[in-house]
Amino acid sequence: MPSELEGLGELTYTAWREKADALRPDGRLFIDGEYRDAADERTFESIDPATGKLVANVARGGSADVDAAVAAARRCFVQGDWARQAPRNRLEVLYRFADLIEAHAAELALLDVLEMGKPITDTITVDVPETALTLRFYGEAVDKLEGVTTATEPDVFHYTLREPLGVVGAISPWNYPLWMASWKFAPALAAGNSVVLKPAEQASLSCLRAAELFVMAGGPPGAFNVVAGYGEEAGQALARHMDVAKISFTGSTEVGKLIMKYAGESNLKQVGVECGGKSPHIFFADLEDLDRAVAAAVEGIFGNMGEVCNAGSRLLVQREIYDEFIERVRTQTQRAYTLGDPLDPATTMGPLVDAEAAARVREHIEEAEAAGARLAFGGMTADAGKNYVPPTAFSQVTSDMRLAREEVFGPVAAFIPFSTAEEAVTIANDSVYGLAAGVWTGSASLAHRMAREIQAGTLWVNTFNEGDMTQPFGGYKQSGHSRDKCLETLLEYTQVKSVWMRL
Ligand code: NAP
Ligand code: MG
């Protein structure tokens, strides 16, 4: 199956626009191997945040649809259509699934671009290839799940079986619509579970299409279902469902707390949550490569329009280099970020996901100014389109300001000066979040000391926002408690059975 990814980098703005106009996305639910309307036939509009135009009418799944999807998933699981296939067969299906994702790269990339506004260049270089990689990584692991035989007294035989959980519910965010969902459905499917996914209402089309591609790859009907709809409706019904064995959630801390409550109030299902962040990105005066550090600072907060859970949104800079650093960030931002139509390959910054998000980010900007932070660049430019907010930075931010405490989820940087390493640690840890952090220093011992003292699930040294599938990704504190990616995550979609036999 030829991957489409190769040639896509050469497409022009006009070519992408033509491809986008020719798309006829299917916004129906995907349940038990086929598309279908919501039981009550309700739909909602998915709007392109760049143009305000309708992308598709999307089925508004409700509890009846979640029931149908869970029933199909349960039936598939109980019959063993997927769970009891020879592991190598499941591996082959996941590989073909990855191939099909790449064979439909342009379409999947466009769906994410049209629904949430990220630049096309990002989707074809990050979202789509990373989704295929996620499927291959867990595909490779399908037949490496093992139990153990333990040391027991001589007339006992004891071993463990590592078994799938059953029906796994996944609830995903819109910032990397297909890719973040794949961090859930890939390991869940690899371990033999059936999956019901509720994607974010802002961007569900790529996930719906992916479920169809899974069936085209040879996946059995019912193993992978997608119920689009609203969080309070379809999402809540899934998280409260009595036949769902686990909910794997990525989204805001606020909703993560609700998911845990729903699990407690229903069937005590397992819960894994990946939530928000306010990641500190720390620059010591002894750092060795100022150009790289500045580029990482800029990319770390303005990449994906700042709509990144681990965005380096608090920039802690040692006083000796503070003013120069901000000035260099300003010029590098001008060089690196061009607002525009996300379908234009030259665009590096698209609109925010929707009008509500743009309004929320503007409110943060207004409040930061009122609270006494100094606008370094960006802000409320009159010429920017409705949902566009330009890269914005504030200096002289203090830890008590809302800008330093709350997740903005937009392109707004908060510069905080510090003098000593102790002070940097105190400021860095003064947050309810603990998703990630970055430290730039020429001193190896300082780097290792920071690695131990900073409360975060990921600590980058002299780089930021890097990693591969082997790296566990998840939070400390209220950034959540589960881990995505990495081999260990596969085990989170299994349970252990102990078999004890008297000989
Ligand atoms: P969100 O509003 O919390 O939504 C996440 C998902 O939960 C969506 O599918 C949403 O559906 C659903 N949902 C909302 N209310 C629900 C409810 N009462 N019951 C069940 N499900 C419900 O987050 P978002 O705005 O999509 O994404 C941004 C957030 O995700 C940020 O906080 C970001 O930091 C976090 N995030 C974290 C990671 C990580 O790995 N730690 C990665 C990416 C994003 P609707 O769309 O219909 O509301
Ligand atoms: Mg929401």
Side-chain angles (χ1 to χ4, degrees):
M1 220 171 307
S3 164
E4 252 190 3
L5 281 165
E6 301 277 291
L8 294 184
E10 273 105 67
L11 290 188
T12 61
Y13 183 18
T14 319
W16 279 116
R17 182 43 78 197
E18 277 168 11
K19 276 184 185 288
D21 290 343
L23 274 186
R24 295 289 171 269
D26 200 326
R28 291 176 297 165
L29 313 177
F30 196 83
I31 297 175
D32 208 6
E34 58 182 35
Y35 284 108
R36 59 170 88 164
D37 292 321
D40 57 14
E41 294 181 0
R42 285 194 298 179
T43 58
F44 64 92
E45 294 187 330
S46 173
I47 301 294
D48 179 346
T51 61
K53 286 192 191 142
L54 180 75
V55 182
N57 288 304
V58 178
R60 180 171 160 186
S63 60
D65 303 296
V66 169
D67 284 348
V70 173
R74 180 92 205 129
R75 189 214 63 237
C76 174
F77 186 74
V78 171
Q79 288 178 184
D81 300 354
W82 176 246
R84 284 196 226 118
Q85 274 194 28
R88 298 295 299 185
N89 288 356
R90 281 194 270 126
L91 179 156
E92 295 290 339
V93 172
L94 292 179
Y95 262 53
R96 278 199 298 274
F97 187 15
D99 291 346
L100 280 167
I101 295 279
E102 287 178 345
H104 295 80
E107 179 192 352
L108 293 166
L110 279 169
L111 291 174
D112 282 356
V113 169
L114 293 176
E115 284 200 284
M116 64 73 65
K118 72 166 65 198
I120 189 72
T121 308
D122 291 4
T123 47
I124 59 171
T125 55
V126 181
D127 299 63
V128 175
E130 289 291 336
T131 300
L133 181 65
T134 303
L135 282 165
R136 292 202 178 101
F137 180 82
Y138 287 111
E140 284 155 16
V142 164
D143 60 354
K144 279 90 188 165
L145 273 172
E146 292 169 342
V148 294
T149 312
T150 65
T152 55
E153 49 183 290
D155 53 354
V156 162
F157 175 35
H158 175 237
Y159 63 97
T160 61
L161 290 172
R162 207 164 256 291
E163 300 186 324
L165 296 163
V167 180
V168 168
I171 299 180
S172 56
W174 47 261
N175 59 339
Y176 296 88
L178 182 58
W179 183 25
M180 289 298 103
S182 77
W183 283 5
K184 318 290 190 192
F185 65 69
L189 288 168
N193 301 282
S194 297
V195 174
V196 178
L197 166 68
K198 206 302 279 177
E201 76 196 58
Q202 291 90 343
S204 30
L205 296 172
S206 58
C207 288
L208 287 165
R209 182 72 163 116
E212 186 188 9
L213 296 179
F214 172 74
V215 171
M216 284 164 63
F224 184 19
N225 311 275
V226 178
V227 180
Y230 294 149
E232 297 75 13
E233 298 172 2
Q236 178 166 188
L238 187 61
R240 286 188 183 277
H241 206 287
M242 299 303 281
D243 283 335
V244 170
K246 177 184 174 113
I247 284 279
S248 182
F249 168 84
T250 295
S252 60
T253 294
E254 189 191 348
V255 177
K257 289 178 183 179
L258 288 177
I259 302 292
M260 295 190 73
K261 181 174 96 113
Y262 300 155
E265 286 175 355
S266 53
N267 63 344
L268 209 66
K269 57 179 65 65
Q270 292 187 25
V271 175
V273 293
E274 292 279 358
C275 301
K278 194 75 204 178
S279 299
H281 199 173
I282 306 168
F283 302 89
F284 285 96
D286 72 346
L287 64 84
E288 281 171 352
D289 188 337
L290 192 57
D291 287 339
R292 270 188 51 230
V294 165
V298 168
E299 211 273 325
I301 177 61
F302 300 133
N304 208 48
M305 291 74 72
E307 295 167 325
V308 181
C309 51
N310 58 260
S313 51
R314 289 187 294 151
L315 294 122
L316 279 57
V317 186
Q318 205 160 20
R319 287 187 194 279
E320 292 90 311
I321 57 167
Y322 187 75
D323 290 329
E324 186 198 350
F325 197 87
I326 296 178
E327 179 48 28
R328 289 180 68 146
V329 163
R330 193 182 63 76
T331 40
Q332 171 61 18
T333 302
Q334 272 175 351
R335 219 176 291 143
Y337 285 96
T338 313
L339 270 67
D341 186 335
L343 285 176
D344 184 346
T347 294
T348 42
M349 190 174 253
L352 295 181
V353 66
D354 56 23
E356 203 182 301
R360 192 195 61 243
V361 173
R362 290 200 182 97
E363 190 190 296
H364 272 286
I365 293 173
E366 268 170 7
E367 251 195 69
E369 285 198 275
R374 198 178 315 144
L375 186 68
F377 58 84
M380 319 288 250
T381 50
D383 56 339
K386 228 170 106 230
N387 298 328
Y388 284 84
V389 175
T392 296
F394 285 94
S395 66
Q396 307 308 337
V397 175
T398 51
S399 278
D400 56 325
M401 290 181 189
R402 192 171 159 224
L403 188 63
R405 310 206 71 79
E406 288 182 21
E407 187 178 37
V408 175
F409 223 59
V412 185
F415 281 99
I416 306 175
F418 71 90
S419 300
T420 63
E422 288 68 30
E423 198 191 345
V425 169
T426 304
I427 297 169
N429 288 340
D430 184 10
S431 173
V432 297
Y433 296 113
L435 189 53
V439 174
W440 293 75
T441 173
S443 157
S445 82
L446 177 59
H448 287 300
R449 215 169 92 216
M450 298 299 279
R452 290 183 185 205
E453 291 188 15
I454 290 179
Q455 297 151 0
T458 297
L459 193 285
W460 284 293
V461 178
N462 295 341
T463 184
F464 198 77
N465 216 1
E466 250 189 75
D468 65 20
M469 284 306 298
T470 62
Q471 176 204 29
F473 185 81
Y476 275 28
K477 303 196 274 187
Q478 290 186 42
S479 289
H481 56 239
S482 60
R483 295 291 179 272
D484 284 323
K485 311 203 290 181
C486 84
L487 203 51
E488 260 173 62
T489 292
L490 191 61
L491 303 182
E492 293 192 18
Y493 293 92
T494 67
Q495 54 195 340
V496 175
K497 182 180 282 170
S498 163
V499 183
W500 181 277
M501 184 178 186
R502 175 72 50 191
L503 300 175

